[in-house]
Amino acid sequence: MAFELPKLTYAYNALEPHIDAKTMEIHHSKHHQAYVTNLNTALSATPSEHNTIEAICQNISKYPAAFRNNGGGHYNHSLFWDVIGPQFDLKPSGALADAINNDLGGFEAFKTAFTQAGATRFGSGWAWLCVKPDGKLCVCSTPNQDNPLMDIAECKGIPILGMDVWEHAYYLLYQNRRPDYMNAFFNVINWKNVESRYVKAKN
Ligand code: MN
């Protein structure tokens, strides 16, 4: 089994001016590719009994650290490219909008909590919107390339939206201004795909 870098369904410059083409190109073709390459190298040394990247994450405590870093990196970035894009709505609709209202106190409260999760993640990591095991939504963050699928995660659930707050995700355009990047991120969220992930996670 070998993992592959997923192709983007949009061009590197499609998210401008919010996320610049150079950042997208390096992020996808260099950073994500490195996680895939290193994960495949780790797999060749330690064959996996699990067939999917989700199952590897869910059993991550059984694997060497290279799986946690690179398997997490592969899962997280694959999700990331899918939940952003040039076709977007500024807000969720349907069942996801209802759940954000019921579980998180509305869209503005969600945005504040999600941005806060990204802002307070020291160093590198991710902010997440997840479906918890009880079916309710929650907002949390994880360090490095960890994610809420992992059996070692403090906050467990199925991620449906992830925001990369590693400096490699924003430094070329925003330098140290993580809050500006996070604000811009809200202009490129593909809420239709987030909602599809929500419906799937609930079933
Ligand atoms: Mn990244």
Side-chain angles (χ1 to χ4, degrees), residues 27 31 35 77 126 145 164 166 168-169:
H27 201 173
H31 289 281
Y35 297 123
H77 288 85
W126 291 74
Q145 294 297 354
D164 189 344
W166 283 58
H168 70 221

Side-chain angles (χ1 to χ4, degrees), residues 80-185:
F80 185 69
W81 310 127
D82 182 57
V83 297
I84 59 178
Q87 259 83 55
F88 59 86
D89 301 302
L90 287 176
K91 287 185 178 182
S93 57
L96 178 58
D98 293 343
I100 287 175
N101 287 335
N102 292 333
D103 299 344
L104 301 174
F107 182 78
E108 287 308 318
F110 153 70
K111 185 177 177 182
T112 300
F114 189 76
T115 305
Q116 183 74 5
T120 54
R121 169 52 55 196
F122 182 76
S124 298
W126 291 74
W128 302 103
L129 174 62
C130 301
V131 178
K132 291 189 292 181
D134 69 3
K136 297 219 183 302
L137 290 174
C138 77
V139 168
C140 65
S141 78
T142 54
N144 304 314
Q145 294 297 354
D146 288 359
N147 64 55
L149 280 184
M150 290 181 173
D151 57 1
I152 45 90
E154 270 179 49
C155 126
K156 287 194 185 60
I158 299 174
I160 59 171
L161 173 65
M163 178 171 62
D164 189 344
V165 296
W166 283 58
E167 283 188 345
H168 70 221
Y170 62 85
Y171 203 84
L172 289 181
L173 189 58
Y174 296 99
Q175 292 82 49
N176 61 321
R177 305 188 308 277
R178 188 186 287 187
D180 290 353
Y181 156 72
M182 294 192 298
N183 219 32
F185 180 80

Side-chain angles (χ1 to χ4, degrees), residues 8 10-28 81 84 167-175 181 184 188:
L8 298 191
Y10 43 83
Y12 286 138
N13 66 1
L15 308 187
E16 292 196 343
H18 309 292
I19 303 179
D20 61 290
K22 196 59 161 174
T23 296
M24 288 294 294
E25 181 185 351
I26 295 172
H27 201 173
H28 178 256
W81 310 127
I84 59 178
E167 283 188 345
H168 70 221
Y170 62 85
Y171 203 84
L172 289 181
L173 189 58
Y174 296 99
Q175 292 82 49
Y181 156 72
V188 297

Side-chain angles (χ1 to χ4, degrees), residues 40-77:
N40 287 333
T41 301
L43 269 170
S44 61
T46 309
S48 171
E49 58 178 286
H50 302 107
N51 292 324
T52 65
I53 192 60
E54 288 81 3
I56 289 173
C57 288
Q58 285 161 341
N59 294 278
I60 205 70
S61 63
K62 298 175 190 161
Y63 287 94
F67 284 80
R68 182 172 172 178
N69 295 331
N70 297 295
H74 177 46
Y75 174 84
N76 296 348
H77 288 85

